[in-house]
Amino acid sequence: MSLVRLCHVGDIPEHSGVAALVAGRQLALFNLPGLGFFALDNWDPIGRAQVLARGIVGDLKGEPCVASPLYKHHYSLKDGRCLEQEGVRVRVWPLITQQDQLWLEAASLKE
């Protein structure tokens, strides 16, 4: 299995997100203490902009999510679905944490 190193876990502030450019694709990486790290596409399909990394993280009815900074739609950090509009979702990227580094499986970038 080939991995792509994304960053050190300390590079993502707690309860926040950062954007990462990986193989020409923008990802939004989030750090929720106690729940772990999450990666979504940075693209907000409703706002039509690369902004999700700048959204506010929290939870709605126990579902960890990010609120887009544009129209405040919430996207699940677990499965990427929009919690307000059925059928709208962003891609979720599986992360691997090893030795305080975040990694992404290289094969997932080819899908």
Side-chain angles (χ1 to χ4, degrees), residues 13-67:
E14 292 183 354
H15 306 285
S16 187
V18 298
L21 183 61
V22 182
R25 193 169 189 128
Q26 288 193 36
L27 305 184
L29 308 174
F30 300 97
N31 176 6
L32 292 181
L35 295 177
F37 294 91
F38 300 90
L40 305 176
D41 275 340
N42 197 30
W43 178 254
D44 175 357
I46 295 172
R48 306 189 57 74
Q50 302 277 5
V51 295
L52 290 183
R54 293 188 284 150
I56 298 171
V57 292
D59 74 81
L60 284 179
K61 299 178 184 174
E63 180 80 25
C65 60
V66 59

Side-chain angles (χ1 to χ4, degrees), residues 8-9 97-103:
H8 186 274
V9 295
T97 305
Q98 290 179 348
Q99 300 174 341
D100 291 334
Q101 303 288 324
L102 284 181
W103 302 82

